[in-house]
Amino acid sequence: MDSASPIQVENVSFFFGKGELRKQILFDVTTEVAAGEIVILTGPSGSGKTTLLTLIGALRACQQGSVKVINNDLSNASASELVKVRRKIGYIFQQDNLLNSLTVAENVQMALGLRGRRSSKDWIERIETVLDQVGMSEHMHKKPEQLSGGQKQRIGVARALVHRPRVILADEPTASLDKHSGRDVVQLIQRLAKEEGAAAVVVTHDNRILDIADRILHLEDGRIRKLMDAVGDDAGRLLNLMARFDPNSYSELAAFALALTRVAAADRRIIAEEDTVIRQILHDVSRLSEGETELVVQLSRSMLGIRGSEEAPTAARPGSDARRQQLLDALHAVASADGTVIPEELAEIDRIAAELGLGPRPGSRAQ
C-alpha cells in the first residue's frame, strides 16, 4: 500500500452491537485512494457503504484493522483526535444542509470558521474563488430558499472544498437531484478534486454517473467484490425480467447472439475479426450500447461454454421472414469475417437454420 495515498484502508472489520446482538458489518476490507483519484463506491442497501465512508471520514473509530487518512491513524483514535482529522476532510451530503437564515457566502464561510482560519480578508477571497469555481459567484448574497436544488448542492460542494481538503467524501450527492443537475454536480466534484489533487470517494446508487470514476469499488454483504461479478449478477436478473415481461424481444436477441457465437466458435476459437463482426451486427440489429453489447456477447459465450455436450441450446425462432433472412445473412458475415469459410462453420449454419426453421442454406444438402 502506497504510504503517500491520502486514504489507506487495510483489513478493516467493523461490528455493531454487543453480546448476542453483536453483528459484523464489514469483513476484512482493504483499499486505498490516491491523491487526485475519484473512486465510486457502489452496492445494495445494507452492504456497508455508509459504515465504510464514516470510518474514512473519522466519524467513528476503527475497531479492527487499520484506517489511515492524511497520515493519521484512526485505529482506536480518541474523540478529540477524530475531530482534528474531520476538520481536514470535505463532506458532501445527500441533502445540502444549508442554513436558510444565512446567505450563500455565509454558509460557505462557516466551514472556514470551524477550521480556525483567522483572516477575514483571506476568507472573502477564498469564498469568492470557490463560488466562482462552482458557478455560483453571482448568487453569493442570496438565501438558500432562492436557489434550485442543483444550485443548493453546488453550494454544498463549495462549502466542502473551501478549505482545500486533501480528502473529499460524498454520500449520495445526486439522490435528490434530477438527471441533468446530478451529473453536473458530480462532474464538478470530479473536476475540482483533480485540480486540488484531493482523494475523493463518492457513494452512489446512481448508475448514470459511474463513468466519471477512475475506479469503482463494489461492496456487498460487507465485502469488496469484483465489479464484473456484480455486474454479471445484475445483468442476469435484468435479462430474466426481460424474458418474463418482454419475451419476444428477449427471444430474438438471444437467437441472434447465440447463433452468431456458435458459428464463430465452430472451429473452437473466436478470432478478433469474428468478434468485431458479432458486436457490429448486435449493435445494428438491436441498437445495443457498447456496454449492452459486451454483456450479450459474454453471456452467449458463457452459454456455449457451460453446455455439457456438442448439442447447443436451442435458440428461439426470430419472428418475421425479414428477421430470419437478417439472421442468415449475419451468420454468413461472421463465418467469412476472417476471409475464409471453413466446413465446420457452414455445418453450424445449417444446424442453426434447421433448429430455427430458416430453410436450407443455398448450395447445401438437405439434412
Side-chain angles (χ1 to χ4, degrees):
M1 191 165 289
D2 189 350
S3 60
S5 296
I7 299 174
Q8 301 171 53
V9 178
E10 190 168 7
N11 302 321
V12 166
S13 295
F14 194 84
F15 304 81
F16 283 121
K18 297 180 179 180
E20 294 181 357
L21 298 178
R22 183 176 170 87
K23 181 179 180 181
Q24 188 165 0
I25 305 299
L26 296 176
F27 296 80
D28 198 31
V29 173
T30 297
T31 190
E32 63 182 321
V33 185
E37 184 179 25
I38 314 296
V39 171
I40 285 185
L41 185 59
T42 67
S45 298
S47 61
K49 301 187 303 297
T50 298
T51 299
L52 180 57
L53 198 71
T54 57
L55 286 170
I56 296 171
L59 296 172
R60 53 167 53 98
C62 179
Q63 296 171 340
Q64 291 185 11
S66 172
V67 177
K68 292 182 179 179
V69 178
I70 319 174
N71 297 320
N72 294 274
D73 192 345
L74 306 186
S75 304
N76 299 311
S78 66
S80 61
E81 290 171 334
L82 291 176
V83 169
K84 290 179 181 178
V85 176
R86 286 200 291 271
R87 288 175 174 167
K88 302 175 183 178
I89 298 173
Y91 299 92
I92 302 169
F93 304 99
Q94 180 174 333
Q95 302 297 328
D96 55 79
N97 294 323
L98 300 177
L99 296 178
N100 289 325
S101 60
L102 301 180
T103 66
V104 165
E106 289 168 341
N107 269 283
V108 175
Q109 180 180 326
M110 285 190 65
L112 288 174
L114 290 173
R115 289 162 179 85
R117 297 295 179 96
R118 291 187 291 273
S119 169
S120 59
K121 181 180 179 181
D122 289 344
W123 282 4
I124 294 171
E125 289 179 354
R126 179 56 186 161
I127 290 168
E128 289 176 346
T129 297
V130 75
L131 286 175
D132 184 61
Q133 287 177 317
V134 302
M136 294 296 293
S137 57
E138 64 185 47
H139 302 287
M140 64 185 300
H141 298 300
K142 292 181 179 179
K143 298 289 182 67
E145 61 189 18
Q146 298 174 276
L147 305 176
S148 68
Q151 289 174 326
K152 290 178 182 178
Q153 195 64 300
R154 283 174 173 266
I155 302 305
V157 173
R159 181 183 54 197
L161 301 183
V162 69
H163 63 294
R164 293 189 175 92
R166 289 186 58 198
V167 169
I168 300 170
L169 304 178
D171 190 6
E172 297 283 1
T174 67
S176 59
L177 303 177
D178 60 41
K179 176 182 178 180
H180 179 72
S181 298
R183 187 164 186 85
D184 281 350
V185 166
V186 174
Q187 287 178 326
L188 182 62
I189 295 171
Q190 178 196 40
R191 176 172 63 81
L192 295 179
K194 295 288 187 184
E195 290 176 357
E196 299 288 344
V201 179
V202 179
V203 170
T204 189
H205 286 99
D206 190 350
N207 292 335
R208 299 170 301 183
I209 66 170
L210 298 183
D211 59 301
I212 67 103
D214 295 311
R215 186 158 49 94
I216 297 174
L217 290 179
H218 185 80
L219 200 62
E220 195 165 326
D221 296 327
R223 295 178 172 87
I224 291 180
R225 192 177 177 206
K226 289 183 178 179
L227 180 62
M228 285 305 297
D229 290 342
V231 170
D233 286 350
D234 288 344
R237 285 189 285 269
L238 289 174
L239 286 174
N240 284 334
L241 286 173
M242 185 178 175
R244 178 181 175 187
F245 294 110
D246 193 5
N248 291 333
S249 296
Y250 173 80
S251 296
E252 288 199 352
L253 181 58
F256 266 93
L258 188 56
L260 297 174
T261 305
R262 283 174 58 183
V263 172
D267 57 355
R268 300 295 184 266
R269 64 194 181 99
I270 300 177
I271 64 173
E273 292 84 355
E274 292 170 331
D275 181 71
T276 299
V277 171
I278 288 174
R279 292 170 189 274
Q280 187 61 52
I281 290 170
L282 288 173
H283 172 74
D284 293 343
V285 168
S286 300
R287 297 301 175 193
L288 299 179
S289 68
E290 183 177 342
E292 292 167 333
T293 300
E294 175 66 23
L295 171 63
V296 172
V297 166
Q298 294 302 328
L299 287 175
S300 61
R301 291 180 184 180
S302 176
M303 290 174 70
L304 287 175
I306 63 174
R307 76 178 193 245
S309 67
E310 290 302 309
E311 291 299 321
T314 300
R317 176 189 173 111
S320 66
D321 289 341
R323 201 67 157 167
R324 289 193 286 274
Q325 185 59 50
Q326 189 178 35
L327 176 55
L328 269 178
D329 292 342
L331 296 177
H332 284 280
V334 171
S336 59
D338 58 355
T340 304
V341 180
I342 61 174
E344 290 86 352
E345 291 172 330
L346 293 176
E348 191 66 30
I349 291 175
D350 287 340
R351 281 194 290 269
I352 293 170
E355 290 172 11
L356 300 180
L358 301 180
R361 171 177 51 84
S364 66
R365 294 184 190 178
Q367 299 294 316

